[in-house]
Amino acid sequence: MIDSFSYQIVEKKNKRLVVTEPTYRTEPVTQFDSKSVMSAMEQLVKAKLSALNRYNPLICRVTSQALAEEIKRHVRDMEFDRYKIVSLVTIGELSDQHSMQQSSKCLWNETLDKQVTYTYTRNNIYCVATLYAIYTD
């Protein structure tokens, strides 16, 4: 039950925002499940990239943006409590003469913050989808 002092509704620029009081919780109610997120990412990437037969920079740019948004929206629908979600998708062309290395560095809480990466290759296309879940207390 929420009492009248724990939240207030603020209207700002035609949007209703709910401002809540801090709960001082240091751990989430629902833990982030990396396995379920990985399987969801795998399904989304395979479904989106199965139609691509060869690399096209224009199509892959739009596809990577749409896929990143779709992954983020899908993970948010899983309702992991108090996690900020960041989704990055890179789609590129596989060739014999070029190589690519991707790395990231973050300052975070090792017990609560999580990172999931899924790599997909097909024909001459590769895709690296990375999702960061950062707990905000």
Side-chain angles (χ1 to χ4, degrees):
M1 181 173 161
I2 298 176
D3 61 334
S4 61
F5 297 108
S6 64
Y7 74 96
Q8 76 183 98
I9 297 174
V10 178
E11 294 205 20
K12 192 176 196 179
K13 294 184 182 177
N14 299 327
K15 291 184 181 179
R16 291 185 68 181
L17 302 173
V18 177
V19 180
T20 59
E21 294 289 325
T23 60
Y24 304 105
R25 259 191 310 177
T26 58
E27 292 186 4
V29 174
T30 307
Q31 290 286 336
F32 187 81
D33 184 15
S34 298
K35 290 180 182 180
S36 65
V37 170
M38 175 66 91
S39 67
M41 285 174 63
E42 181 179 355
Q43 290 174 0
L44 291 170
V45 169
K46 284 182 178 179
K48 197 75 156 178
L49 297 181
S50 63
L52 291 176
N53 293 325
R54 62 187 193 104
Y55 180 76
N56 181 333
L58 298 176
I59 293 173
C60 288
R61 181 185 68 185
V62 173
T63 303
S64 66
Q65 291 170 348
L67 189 55
E69 283 299 318
E70 193 172 336
I71 290 170
K72 183 168 54 170
R73 186 173 36 253
H74 189 78
V75 172
R76 280 190 181 157
D77 289 344
M78 292 178 168
E79 296 182 357
F80 296 115
D81 189 34
R82 295 179 173 233
Y83 279 95
K84 290 194 182 211
I85 306 298
V86 178
S87 177
L88 303 170
V89 175
T90 303
I91 300 174
E93 181 178 22
L94 288 174
S95 68
D96 295 334
Q97 297 180 358
H98 297 92
S99 67
M100 187 198 92
Q101 294 179 355
Q102 186 172 347
S103 64
S104 64
K105 192 173 189 178
C106 300
L107 178 63
W108 65 11
N109 182 339
E110 292 181 2
T111 58
L112 296 175
D113 299 337
K114 304 295 180 189
Q115 176 258 336
V116 179
T117 300
Y118 175 70
T119 305
Y120 174 81
T121 57
R122 181 173 177 268
N123 297 337
N124 67 336
I125 297 172
Y126 72 88
C127 175
V128 179
T130 304
L131 183 116
Y132 299 96
I134 300 102
Y135 181 72
T136 56
D137 48 6

